[in-house]
């Protein structure tokens, strides 16, 4: 019975370690700058320190990225509208959350 109680006592800490954590603006800059994210199925994205981003899905697409407040924002020509997302992280997984609650997860490529 004591083992069972110990397992239950440790369980909440285990679950908390697996949850996504919301990033601040400074953390978004730190975690994305110079990185490449893999979205699966051959789709990836790079984030240059010059604030240029390349999205690869069958071919490259160039855009710009920025951090506004505590949100990641991107601009993809020919559109002149910035789209912004909340960003969360769990280990090497980055989650982008749009204004409707939709999510996109990418894994940092080492």
């Amino acid at each position: 019975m004591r083992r069972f109680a110990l397992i239950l006592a440790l369980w909440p800490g285990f679950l908390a370690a697996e949850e996504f954590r919301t990033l601040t603006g400074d953390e978004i800059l730190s975690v994305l700058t110079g990185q490449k994210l893999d979205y699966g199925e051959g789709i990836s994205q790079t984030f240059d320190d010059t604030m240029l981003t390349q999205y690869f899905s069958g071919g490259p697409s160039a855009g710009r990225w920025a951090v506004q407040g505590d949100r990641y924002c991107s601009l993809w020509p020919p559109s002149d509208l910035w789209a912004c997302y909340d960003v969360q992280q769990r280990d090497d997984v980055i989650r982008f959350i749009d204004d409707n609650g939709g999510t996109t997860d990418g894994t940092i490529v080492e």
Side-chain angles (χ1 to χ4, degrees), residues 3-94:
R3 286 186 195 163
F4 183 71
L6 178 60
I7 290 170
L8 287 178
L10 295 175
W11 188 278
F14 174 75
L15 289 178
E18 296 296 317
E19 293 178 4
F20 280 91
R21 181 178 65 81
T22 300
L23 302 181
T24 66
D26 288 340
E27 290 172 323
I28 295 167
L29 278 171
S30 177
V31 77
L32 290 181
T33 302
Q35 292 296 333
K36 179 178 181 179
L37 295 183
D38 178 3
Y39 298 110
E41 300 180 15
I43 301 169
S44 63
Q45 185 175 3
T46 60
F47 303 86
D48 290 348
D49 59 359
T50 61
M51 307 314 278
L52 296 176
T53 182
Q54 293 274 335
Y55 186 81
F56 301 90
S57 176
S61 176
R64 298 196 54 76
W65 72 284
V67 174
Q68 297 176 5
D70 288 332
R71 302 186 85 198
Y72 162 83
C73 300
S74 59
L75 173 77
W76 298 95
S79 175
D80 61 353
L81 299 176
W82 287 87
C84 296
Y85 306 84
D86 292 324
V87 180
Q88 296 180 334
Q89 182 176 12
R90 182 189 70 213
D91 300 322
D92 62 349
V93 177
I94 305 299

